[in-house]
């Protein structure tokens, strides 16, 4: 290779060798085939069937038909040059009622998917829980019931036993904040309950489930890496007033520290315990739970999308988690906090774009918690995508969003933060929970009528960066 070629091909911002260039999905959002091969119903199947819960009455019975089209989808990933693919395992495919005998057809699907990935040189990253709780477990009390955490550890151990000969990276619960507070406090997500005290119990049991599963998997093999996955937000007080500073402390406490402190320090933040006590009391955790929850991890998986600007003064929007349907507040014990427009450009979700916030949270985790390698397990944006006459999708805003956040990743690494990889959310357009098919996050466009996959400009751009091992300097 000549010097000239080296120069044109080399990136201006090079990422370390071995940096993981990935994309993420989750089972319920893509698989479809909800009644196939012995899969049982999940809380999301029940939720989508309940009128008014999901925009336009959309459901995920077919979704993007990935269960049948997984080979084609792995080819799409290989064409992009992904080094890793993060997907989740559907619990009700493995245990149709959430406990007891393992359904071999369910295991078989994930083994075939994994083998297909490996055959294409793509590293499989397995998430064990991305919100599709078996319905039978919800009927037995759901996440507010302590027993659900034990059931989860059994399920995790079974999946780990079946896949750990070919999968290195496992993570436990995706975004416990959402599963607990959108599921049981605001009711925006399945199971759609609005019971704030139960939401705190759910949050604790999701943390406990994480810890028990981590221990169960560790006991089976020391060779796999286990991660916890949290969604973190940068948070700013609207003004320097005491009320706004207190609002920022409260939302940071519930969103970020309740999970980070539990997983990485083995304690719940005292101020958050005080905030929630009037609603949820203080007896949701038993002696020894936090020790289990803080079982040492190999990896922290960080999902990052946006920044909240918050105020303690009345009058702002009630919640940043603007749902398409009427819901309660997810902010248990801090319902009075309002969310203020921070004046930044927004995505189609109305989420403010703030790449600087990513550096802020990575720096903070590195500074305030025991040392732990990190990856960005989700980052991305919804925009109104349109297929043009020549079968392309021009999505410059998504390119700009991902580019900006990857630059932050590069800066974080330069600053010595142990960031090992980046997974874009999402590989393909899919079922976006309460928004149904109304919001597109994919690098790859999916025509929901024909199931045709069309790589968007952002996918092609991402592929170039992967090939180059880094980013080019922005055009002058
Ligand atoms: C995250 C979820 C993921 C997707 C993105 C947009 O909170 O983990 O499933 O919905 O948001």
């Amino acid at each position: 290779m000549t010097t000239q070629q080296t120069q044109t091909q080399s990136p201006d911002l090079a990422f370390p060798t071995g940096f993981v260039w990935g994309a993420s999905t989750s089972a319920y959002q893509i698989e479809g085939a909800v009644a196939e091969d012995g899969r049982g119903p999940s809380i999301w199947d029940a939720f989508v069937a309940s009128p008014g819960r999901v925009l336009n009455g959309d459901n995920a019975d077919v979704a993007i038909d990935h269960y049948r089209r997984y080979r084609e989808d792995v080819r799409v990933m290989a064409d992009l040059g992904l080094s890793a693919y993060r997907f989740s395992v559907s619990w009700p495919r493995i245990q149709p009622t959430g406990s007891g005998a393992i359904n071999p057809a369910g295991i078989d699907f994930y083994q075939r998917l994994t083998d297909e990935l490996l055959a294409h040189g793509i590293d499989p990253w397995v998430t064990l829980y991305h919100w599709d709780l078996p319905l039978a477990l919800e009927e037995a009390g759901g996440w507010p019931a302590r027993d659900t955490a034990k059931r989860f550890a059994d399920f995790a151990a079974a999946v780990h036993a079946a896949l750990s000969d070919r999968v290195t990276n496992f993570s436990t619960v995706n975004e416990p904040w959402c599963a607990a507070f959108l599921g049981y406090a605001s009711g925006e997500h399945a199971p759609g309950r609005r019971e704030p005290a139960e939401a705190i119990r759910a949050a604790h049991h999701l943390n406990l489930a994480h810890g028990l599963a981590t221990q169960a998997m560790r006991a089976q093999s020391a060779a796999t890496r286990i991660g916890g996955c949290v969604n973190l937000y940068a948070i700013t007080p609207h003004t320097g007033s005491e009320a706004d500073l207190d609002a920022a402390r409260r939302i940071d406490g519930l969103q970020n520290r309740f999970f980070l402190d539990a997983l990485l320090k083995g304690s719940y933040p005292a101020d958050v315990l005080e905030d929630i006590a009037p609603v949820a009391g203080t007896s949701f955790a038993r002696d020894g739970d936090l020790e289990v929850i803080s079982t040492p991890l190999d990896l922290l998986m960080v999902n990052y999308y946006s920044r909240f600007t918050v105020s303690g003064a009345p009058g702002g929007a009630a919640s940043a988690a603007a749902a398409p349907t009427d819901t309660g507040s997810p902010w248990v014990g801090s319902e009075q906090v309002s969310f203020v427009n921070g004046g930044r450009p927004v995505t189609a979700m109305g989420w403010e774009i703030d790449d600087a916030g990513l550096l802020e949270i990575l720096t903070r985790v590195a500074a305030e918690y025991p040392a732990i390698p990190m990856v960005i397990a989700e980052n991305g944006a919804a925009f109104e995508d349109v297929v043009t006459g020549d079968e392309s999708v021009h999505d410059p805003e998504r390119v700009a969003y991902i580019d900006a956040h990857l630059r932050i990743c590069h800066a974080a690494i330069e600053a010595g933060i142990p960031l090992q990889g980046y997974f874009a959310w999402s590989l393909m357009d899919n079922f976006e929970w309460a928004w149904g098919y109304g919001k597109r996050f994919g690098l790859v466009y999916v025509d929901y009528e024909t199931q045709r996959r069309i790589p968007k400009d952002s996918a092609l751009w991402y592929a170039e960066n992967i090939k180059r091992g880094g980013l080019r300097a922005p055009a002058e």
Side-chain angles (χ1 to χ4, degrees):
M1 197 182 275
T2 66
T3 318
Q4 180 63 39
Q5 277 171 327
T6 314
Q7 276 171 359
T8 46
Q9 289 179 358
S10 65
D12 298 307
L13 293 180
F15 282 69
T17 314
F19 186 79
V20 178
W21 297 91
S24 285
T25 62
S26 87
Y28 189 70
Q29 294 178 274
I30 63 168
E31 285 180 1
V34 290
E36 234 138 297
D37 295 336
R39 179 189 180 277
S42 78
I43 53 174
W44 271 94
D45 297 297
F47 191 74
V48 299
S50 156
R53 296 297 205 170
V54 175
L55 196 65
N56 300 322
D58 288 346
N59 66 51
D61 291 359
V62 176
I64 58 168
D65 200 28
H66 171 77
Y67 188 73
R68 266 179 274 260
R69 293 170 193 261
Y70 72 93
R71 286 200 180 83
E72 179 193 333
D73 291 338
V74 172
R75 265 203 310 280
V76 170
M77 298 177 218
D79 287 346
L80 298 185
L82 293 188
S83 50
Y85 171 55
R86 171 178 176 259
F87 60 95
S88 79
V89 172
S90 157
W91 188 350
R93 270 194 209 291
I94 306 298
Q95 288 177 303
T97 57
S99 59
I102 301 302
N103 171 25
I107 293 286
D108 184 59
F109 171 68
Y110 295 103
Q111 286 181 332
R112 282 184 283 125
L113 170 61
T114 302
D115 290 346
E116 193 71 13
L117 289 164
L118 292 171
H120 286 82
I122 300 165
D123 195 20
W125 285 52
V126 170
T127 297
L128 289 155
Y129 186 72
H130 204 124
W131 309 350
D132 43 1
L133 185 72
L135 187 58
L137 290 185
E138 175 58 27
E139 285 162 354
W143 285 111
R146 192 176 173 89
D147 191 56
T148 304
K150 296 187 196 141
R151 299 285 71 80
F152 178 70
D154 291 348
F155 156 69
V159 173
H160 184 265
L163 295 179
S164 58
D165 60 344
R166 56 200 102 177
V167 172
T168 303
N169 290 285
F170 289 84
S171 73
T172 55
V173 176
N174 175 71
E175 303 190 354
W177 183 89
C178 292
F181 294 110
L182 300 182
Y184 293 89
S186 75
E188 179 184 349
H189 281 183
R193 284 159 66 177
R194 292 191 199 175
E195 300 165 32
E198 294 292 80
I200 295 293
R201 295 168 60 78
H204 176 63
H205 294 145
L206 282 153
N207 283 343
L208 185 62
H210 156 80
L212 291 170
T214 300
Q215 292 187 339
M217 292 190 280
R218 281 242 192 283
Q220 292 184 159
S221 150
T224 49
R225 299 206 304 170
I226 316 281
C229 179
V230 288
N231 55 324
L232 303 180
Y233 278 80
I235 290 163
T236 317
H238 181 43
T239 70
S241 75
E242 210 176 297
D244 289 358
L245 292 173
D246 186 59
R249 177 195 63 72
R250 284 168 173 273
I251 298 307
D252 174 52
L254 270 178
Q255 176 76 57
N256 299 327
R257 289 181 288 120
F258 189 84
F259 299 96
L260 284 174
D261 285 20
L263 266 59
L264 302 178
K265 292 183 175 169
S267 58
Y268 283 127
D271 61 314
V272 179
L273 292 178
E274 252 178 61
D275 295 341
I276 62 180
V279 181
T282 52
S283 62
F284 52 86
R286 292 193 191 159
D287 280 355
D289 283 0
L290 280 150
E291 223 163 77
V292 174
I293 293 169
S294 58
T295 302
L297 290 174
D298 300 302
L299 204 57
L300 183 71
M301 325 247 312
V302 174
N303 296 1
Y304 176 79
Y305 289 95
S306 188
R307 177 187 296 274
F308 292 151
T309 303
V310 296
S311 172
S319 167
T325 49
D326 175 38
T327 61
S329 169
W331 304 105
V332 178
S334 294
E335 296 83 358
Q336 73 280 11
V337 171
S338 54
F339 289 75
V340 179
N341 183 340
R344 296 176 188 81
V346 295
T347 69
M349 297 293 283
W351 297 350
E352 292 189 25
I353 302 171
D354 187 39
D355 40 287
L358 176 59
L359 188 58
E360 197 173 299
I361 60 167
L362 291 175
T363 305
R364 178 183 183 194
V365 172
E368 295 177 16
Y369 292 88
I372 185 160
M374 291 186 262
V375 298
I376 305 304
E378 286 184 24
N379 175 247
F383 290 108
E384 309 286 347
D385 298 315
V386 178
V387 183
T388 61
D390 64 348
E391 293 280 286
S392 333
V393 178
H394 303 305
D395 58 343
E397 293 169 300
R398 186 173 291 103
V399 170
Y401 182 101
I402 297 180
D403 179 72
H405 288 81
L406 276 170
R407 276 168 207 283
I408 293 293
C409 292
H410 188 267
I413 294 168
E414 294 275 285
I417 292 170
L419 183 67
Q420 299 184 339
Y422 175 93
F423 290 79
W425 181 273
S426 175
L427 174 69
M428 296 175 287
D429 293 336
N430 58 46
F431 177 79
E432 179 48 34
W433 309 114
W435 297 91
Y437 299 101
K439 304 289 175 193
R440 294 179 177 273
F441 275 90
L443 296 172
V444 176
Y445 184 94
V446 177
D447 178 331
Y448 297 121
E449 295 293 314
T450 62
Q451 296 294 353
R452 211 155 31 108
R453 275 67 166 143
I454 304 170
K456 303 177 191 176
D457 285 357
S458 56
L460 306 175
W461 169 88
Y462 193 50
E464 275 171 33
N465 288 293
I466 298 173
K467 202 167 177 185
R468 208 190 285 125
L471 306 167
R472 298 281 288 280
E476 292 294 315

